[in-house]
Amino acid sequence: MVEGGIVKPDRTEFSDCWKTTWKTPYIMRLALSAGIGGLLFGYDTGVISGALLYIREDFHEVEKKTWLQEVIVSMAVAGAIFGAAFGGWMNDRFGRKPSILVADILFFVGAIIMALAPAPWMIIVGRIFVGLGVGMASMTAPLYISEASPARIRGALVSTNGLLITGGQFLSYLINLAFTHAPGTWRWMLGVAGLPAVVQFFLMLSLPESPRWLYRRNKVEEARSILEKIYPENEVEAELTALKKSIEAEEADEQDIGDSFIAKLKGALGNVVVRRGLYAGVTVQVAQQFSGINTVMYYSPTIVQLAGFASNKTALALSLVTSGLNAAGSIVSMVFVDRYGRRKMMIISMFGIITCLVILSVVFFQAASHAPKISQIESTHFAANGTCPSYISAPNPTSWNCMSCLKADCGFCSNGANEYSPGACLAKTKDLENSCRKQHRTWFKEGCPSKFGFLAVVFLGLYIISFSPGMGTVPWIVNSEIYPLKYRGLGGGIAAVSNWVSNLIVSLTFLTLTKALGSSGTFLLFAGFCVIGLGFIYWFVPETKGLQFEEVEMMLKSGFKPSAFKSKS
């Protein structure tokens, strides 16, 4: 999970969670109903990776224009940036429950628009609607669960939202694989997201508003009636008292620093502790995205095809492994983050990521270097005018291989006897593609047949294993701990926006980079970004494991330095 926060649960919270929810099933009903928003978040960010393969086949202009593919993928991210901002305002003004209901409407409308889209621009419109829903869900679902959960199991229940996000991404890959042979393929893949949205909408109608929001609006008796369903009878008054004190402290802070965003921002930037917290919080969020993780989550089947697996179904099946590893990594992080610490896990994670990206760069370089040659006899075998025009006019066609053919925007038809032997470079038309396949040959248009392809998939999996337990979840934990209480919402919001904007930049440029630099150069570029990110994490991000919020604040006030640069005194 890479765009929503995972709140760190205490070690005993999971066992307490099972005991409490077993006695009071209403709590789990609240958490799981709201958590469907996390599932939709994960599904809608993951499903496009497989749907894009079939959208390219249905719309020739999408096939021809790399930038159009990037826009289709990244418009959900752009929508999420505005959805998160709008969701924050709506949460405060109208409450958590209406915000979730509006997010469901956006998810449903977006899914229907995409499923019925007659042209690429309609898919883009649908992706924007879905993105707005994703942004609102990322803000609202964990907030609602947190405020409607008993304090002692809050971390464990909010963690279910994070697991549902990665679970939603995994589910999207399963759905993609299930619809590979169905008529309408990508329409079903994108349209299915409307069903959980409808389910959540009707479930939420029967659930209450957050007791914290109600209390803040002076609806004390309504808040009390909800708390009576969540807490044992002897704990309700104590929880009401704690809620009162918390809201009074919150209102006092607003009087001190002002209620407007500009006043809060000025107060934050003028505070040395908040500034140093932002150095750490923004650093880990930007480093997370520039490690290239969402190129894998959004373009995983395309990357597998670049490695030499031409079949859409094979690419989707192999991509399912990466999504499953990402979900498993979230659980591993929750087990080990308190034992080894946030800083150490991120640094170890970054070393693993850099190693895997460099090896992937070498693997893709070797695959390109050893791509099958182009045979002139094979190329004229299909049709007199079927040979790639650029190949015919090339000054030295004998030097051409499969990669040269694909770079010229043509298709490679593998040799009938052995796909690693010289094959045909043909014009990229549907008729020639069908002719190639009728002769039981493989048609390549993204990557070339390669004996190195399996290695690429293995190290893609190792990259996910390195990323998910460290840089996948820990940045969100750091951002939940690094800011003083009165600035925690603002600091976390700024860091989250930096994450979404970095995500947008990476997802909007990945395919263009692979065209300009090749797959090898693109992965090497991300490795370079990770080296820079590792340096920033080492220098700016302190260890917060086991520290009270006040201790973190004192550490930032005195100034953090890595242990290697501290004076011996």
Side-chain angles (χ1 to χ4, degrees):
M1 198 255 328
V2 291
E3 297 106 356
I6 287 184
V7 173
K8 173 185 67 66
D10 184 80
R11 195 167 295 173
T12 60
E13 282 188 27
F14 287 110
S15 57
D16 286 347
C17 182
W18 285 114
K19 291 175 187 174
T20 304
T21 53
W22 184 260
K23 290 178 183 176
T24 317
Y26 184 74
I27 298 170
M28 186 56 76
R29 182 183 160 199
L30 287 172
L32 290 180
S33 297
I36 294 174
L39 184 80
L40 284 163
F41 176 171
Y43 186 88
D44 279 307
T45 52
V47 71
I48 196 63
S49 62
L52 187 64
L53 303 181
Y54 297 94
I55 292 170
R56 288 195 308 228
E57 290 183 355
D58 276 12
F59 298 110
H60 184 64
E61 58 187 306
V62 177
E63 174 75 48
K64 299 288 285 183
K65 297 173 181 175
T66 298
W67 66 266
L68 192 53
Q69 296 175 42
E70 291 171 329
V71 169
I72 289 171
V73 170
S74 59
M75 277 305 98
V77 182
I81 295 170
F82 292 99
F86 177 70
W89 171 80
M90 190 171 180
N91 272 314
D92 288 339
R93 186 70 182 270
F94 300 106
R96 290 39 164 157
K97 180 178 172 178
S99 299
I100 292 174
L101 294 174
V102 169
D104 286 329
I105 292 168
L106 290 167
F107 279 127
F108 182 77
V109 171
I112 297 302
I113 289 172
M114 289 187 293
L116 301 177
W121 69 268
M122 280 286 282
I123 300 174
I124 293 169
V125 170
R127 291 288 288 167
I128 291 171
F129 270 89
V130 161
L132 290 168
V134 165
M136 290 188 70
S138 72
M139 286 288 296
T140 311
L143 188 62
Y144 181 87
I145 296 169
S146 174
E147 293 179 350
S149 305
R152 63 183 174 274
I153 61 168
R154 187 168 294 147
L157 284 176
V158 177
S159 293
T160 61
N161 184 66
L163 291 175
L164 282 167
I165 292 172
T166 52
Q169 289 175 332
F170 184 71
L171 177 65
S172 72
Y173 281 72
L174 282 174
I175 296 291
N176 283 346
L177 199 56
F179 284 114
T180 49
H181 294 302
T185 52
W186 61 269
R187 297 183 186 277
W188 285 104
M189 294 171 182
L190 298 174
V192 161
L195 294 177
V198 171
V199 170
Q200 185 181 42
F201 185 88
F202 285 104
L203 284 174
M204 289 303 300
L205 287 176
S206 64
L207 293 177
E209 180 54 80
S210 152
R212 183 181 184 85
W213 187 86
L214 289 170
Y215 197 100
R216 182 144 194 185
R217 289 292 182 276
N218 295 317
K219 298 179 179 180
V220 179
E221 289 309 310
E222 286 184 53
R224 181 195 293 274
S225 68
I226 296 162
L227 291 174
E228 286 172 350
K229 295 179 182 178
I230 297 171
Y231 286 91
E233 190 177 344
N234 61 330
E235 295 180 20
V236 173
E237 287 302 324
E239 184 59 26
L240 269 172
T241 303
L243 195 57
K244 180 183 177 183
K245 287 180 179 177
S246 172
I247 289 171
E248 285 174 351
E250 210 172 85
E251 289 172 345
D253 286 340
E254 285 177 1
Q255 289 176 358
D256 289 342
I257 61 177
D259 194 23
S260 71
F261 174 77
I262 299 298
K264 288 180 180 178
L265 187 61
K266 282 182 179 177
L269 297 179
N271 185 313
V272 67
V273 173
V274 181
R275 278 205 312 274
R276 287 171 176 165
L278 284 169
Y279 296 157
V282 172
T283 286
V284 295
Q285 296 287 30
V286 173
Q288 182 196 68
Q289 291 302 320
F290 277 89
S291 68
I293 181 58
N294 277 322
T295 63
V296 176
M297 298 314 296
Y298 299 158
Y299 297 106
S300 184
T302 301
I303 294 171
V304 171
Q305 288 189 333
L306 289 170
F309 296 91
S311 161
N312 285 350
K313 190 171 182 178
T314 303
L316 286 169
L318 290 172
S319 299
L320 189 63
V321 177
T322 63
S323 182
L325 290 171
N326 188 42
S330 300
I331 301 169
V332 172
S333 175
M334 289 157 63
V335 172
F336 290 106
V337 72
D338 277 328
R339 186 178 301 177
Y340 296 110
R342 295 89 167 101
R343 178 180 162 86
K344 186 180 287 186
M345 282 192 71
M346 285 191 292
I347 289 173
I348 292 171
S349 179
M350 284 298 259
F351 273 113
I353 290 166
I354 292 165
T355 302
C356 290
L357 286 172
V358 170
I359 293 173
L360 279 168
S361 177
V362 172
V363 167
F364 276 102
F365 178 79
Q366 289 297 321
S369 302
H370 294 84
K373 293 285 187 182
I374 301 299
S375 164
Q376 192 168 0
I377 297 171
E378 287 283 324
S379 298
T380 55
H381 168 74
F382 290 90
N385 58 351
T387 307
C388 174
S390 299
Y391 175 70
I392 295 170
S393 60
N396 187 16
T398 55
S399 66
W400 273 46
N401 64 12
C402 171
M403 288 304 297
S404 314
C405 178
L406 299 190
K407 284 178 182 177
D409 200 28
C410 294
F412 179 80
C413 183
S414 66
N415 189 293
N418 181 351
E419 67 175 20
Y420 303 117
S421 298
C425 183
L426 305 174
K428 199 190 283 186
T429 68
K430 204 70 183 173
D431 287 342
L432 287 169
E433 180 180 343
N434 291 335
S435 297
C436 174
R437 286 178 172 157
K438 280 177 183 175
Q439 296 189 20
H440 304 291
R441 302 181 180 212
T442 308
W443 178 261
F444 292 86
K445 54 186 177 180
E446 297 296 333
C448 294
S450 171
K451 294 177 181 177
F452 296 93
F454 178 70
L455 273 178
V457 174
V458 168
F459 280 99
L460 204 59
L462 289 173
Y463 164 84
I464 294 289
I465 290 170
S466 300
F467 173 87
S468 187
M471 288 305 297
T473 55
V474 177
W476 298 98
I477 295 172
V478 168
N479 271 281
S480 72
E481 300 172 330
I482 203 77
Y483 308 109
L485 182 61
K486 69 172 74 174
Y487 293 108
R488 193 158 298 150
L490 180 67
I494 291 171
V497 168
S498 71
N499 182 286
W500 283 111
V501 171
S502 302
N503 184 346
L504 179 62
I505 293 168
V506 170
S507 60
L508 197 53
T509 58
F510 176 69
L511 293 179
T512 300
L513 285 172
T514 59
K515 293 285 185 186
L517 305 176
S519 304
S520 175
T522 303
F523 282 112
L524 195 60
L525 178 65
F526 283 125
F529 287 144
C530 287
V531 170
I532 296 168
L534 177 60
F536 272 78
I537 289 170
Y538 179 78
W539 191 257
F540 289 112
V541 183
E543 180 55 76
T544 56
K545 181 188 83 168
L547 297 180
Q548 297 295 326
F549 291 130
E550 294 77 14
E551 292 174 307
V552 174
E553 193 170 336
M554 289 301 296
M555 175 173 59
L556 291 173
K557 195 171 186 178
S558 60
F560 167 74
K561 279 187 180 180
S563 56
F565 292 89
K566 287 180 180 176
S567 60
K568 291 182 180 179
S569 61

